[in-house]
């Protein structure tokens, strides 16, 4: 395991742990998801550069496009919850009706 | 391994510790800016100039602007920075765990990687690698992938429009 390998795998694990434990805002959870996708992008790009295979460099671009889809859907959910519940706190989502 | 690369990798991990330690969303977005900036530097250091440019432009230009705008929705009167007690405790516990993992992986190895070894060093950065041309393959032989991505983005447009529609006709309308 090289330092770069350690860096992107630990950033992925940190994003996963931050998503799992004690979020207060929905936006912070989305930021953790974005951090995970960012570490995946860097891992894919480093894989391409390491293997010196030019045709695999399509994969990080496609991953970036799909992470844009994920981010926009999550932000749409954030706007919808902020409009129905008044704030984006995760405790508010436990309420059945408000 | 050069010191610059080590500094960039440490900035990447430290920025994600700053995101994962649950501060207010303003500071979380700031940590994500740090992660993407240093990740861009890492990719540039491994001769991936085009991919690092794509990361910088799309990520910082597109997504983080939207995130910074959405942070206004999650605004709160007393935001918690990294100096707050719980955030600092979480961040320091993550840092302790990371250093234990680092010591377990690298405690007994020599970190001075040689030339041409796996993912080590800057080398001479003047040469242009094949990844710029590889992205160009996306438009010829990888056309199916582009069409799939464009379809996904178009679908996401309608998903967002349905989610944020008002007048009690949207997807999430409990009131």
């Amino acid at each position: 395991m090289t330092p770069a390998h350690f860096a992107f795998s630990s950033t992925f694990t940190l994003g996963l742990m931050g998503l799992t434990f004690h979020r207060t805002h929905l936006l912070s959870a989305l930021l953790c998801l974005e951090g995970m996708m960012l570490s995946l992008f860097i891992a894919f790009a480093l894989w391409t550069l390491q293997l010196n295979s030019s045709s695999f460099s399509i994969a990080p671009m496609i991953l970036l496009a799909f992470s844009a889809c994920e981010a926009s859907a999550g932000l749409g959910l954030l706007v919808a919850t902020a409009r129905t519940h008044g704030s984006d706190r995760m405790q508010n989502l436990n309420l059945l009706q408000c | 391994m050069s010191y610059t690369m080590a500094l960039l990798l440490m900035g990447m991990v430290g920025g994600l510790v700053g995101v994962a330690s649950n501060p207010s969303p303003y500071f979380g977005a700031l940590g994500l800016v740090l992660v993407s900036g240093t990740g861009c530097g890492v990719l540039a250091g491994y001769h991936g100039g085009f991919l690092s440019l794509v990361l910088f432009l799309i990520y910082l230009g597109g997504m983080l602007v939207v995130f910074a705008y959405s942070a206004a929705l999650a605004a709160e009167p007393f935001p918690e920075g990294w100096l707050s007690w719980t955030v600092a405790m979480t961040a320091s516990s993550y840092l302790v765990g990371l250093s234990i993992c680092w010591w377990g992986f690298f405690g007994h190895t020599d970190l001075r990687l040689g030339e041409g070894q796996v993912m080590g060093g800057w080398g001479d950065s003047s040469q242009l690698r094949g990844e710029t041309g590889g992205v160009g393959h996306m438009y010829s032989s990888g056309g199916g992938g582009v069409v799939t991505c464009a379809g996904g983005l178009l679908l996401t447009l309608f998903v967002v429009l349905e989610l944020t529609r008002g007048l009690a006709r949207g997807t999430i309308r409990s009131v």
Side-chain angles (χ1 to χ4, degrees), chain B residues 3-174:
Chain B
Y3 290 115
T4 316
M5 188 60 81
L7 197 65
L8 287 175
L9 291 175
M10 276 163 57
M12 230 172 89
V13 179
L16 219 81
V17 166
V19 177
S21 60
N22 198 13
S24 284
Y26 312 108
F27 300 104
L30 193 62
L32 206 61
V33 168
L34 179 63
V35 177
S36 56
T38 51
C40 176
V42 166
L43 289 187
Y46 289 127
H47 314 295
F50 187 71
L51 283 177
S52 89
L53 198 63
V54 163
L55 177 64
F56 196 72
L57 288 180
I58 292 184
Y59 210 87
L60 283 182
M63 292 191 196
L64 280 176
V65 169
V66 181
F67 268 96
Y69 171 69
S70 304
L73 278 178
E76 50 188 357
F78 304 108
E80 275 191 335
W82 289 297
L83 292 182
S84 165
W85 175 247
T86 54
V87 177
M89 283 303 290
T90 316
S92 53
S93 64
Y94 280 144
L95 284 178
V96 166
L98 271 179
S99 45
I100 288 173
C101 288
W102 173 268
W103 194 60
F105 282 130
F106 297 113
H108 51 278
T109 55
D110 192 8
L111 274 185
R112 287 172 298 164
L113 296 178
E115 278 299 314
Q117 208 169 351
V118 185
M119 288 184 184
W122 290 73
D124 93 270
S125 56
S126 60
Q127 53 174 350
L128 191 62
R129 296 281 285 261
E131 44 101 21
T132 311
V135 176
H137 282 175
M138 193 167 69
Y139 296 103
S140 58
S141 55
V146 173
V147 169
T148 313
C149 283
L153 285 168
L154 190 64
L155 178 65
T156 312
L157 174 68
F158 289 112
V159 165
V160 170
L161 283 181
E162 279 297 316
L163 276 177
T164 57
R165 181 155 66 175
L167 285 180
R169 292 178 58 206
T171 311
I172 302 181
R173 290 288 96 154
S174 62

Side-chain angles (χ1 to χ4, degrees), chain A residues 66-85:
Chain A
F66 283 133
S67 86
C69 293
E70 170 254 328
S72 52
L75 288 174
L77 276 174
L78 173 75
V79 171
T81 24
R83 285 171 66 190
T84 54
H85 290 72

Side-chain angles (χ1 to χ4, degrees), chain A residues 4-68:
Chain A
H5 194 176
F6 178 79
F8 66 72
S9 48
S10 64
T11 45
F12 186 80
T13 316
L14 274 174
L16 194 60
M17 286 171 70
L19 179 65
T20 311
F21 301 135
H22 50 69
R23 298 279 92 187
T24 52
H25 292 274
L26 182 59
L27 188 55
S28 328
L30 290 177
L31 283 174
C32 278
L33 269 177
E34 278 305 303
M36 287 167 65
M37 292 303 275
L38 186 57
S39 69
L40 279 183
F41 177 83
I42 289 171
F44 262 25
L46 285 184
W47 190 13
T48 306
L49 298 171
Q50 169 68 32
L51 293 182
N52 219 351
S53 72
S54 64
S55 59
F56 191 70
S57 58
I58 302 172
M61 313 287 294
I62 291 181
L63 182 84
L64 202 61
F66 283 133
S67 86

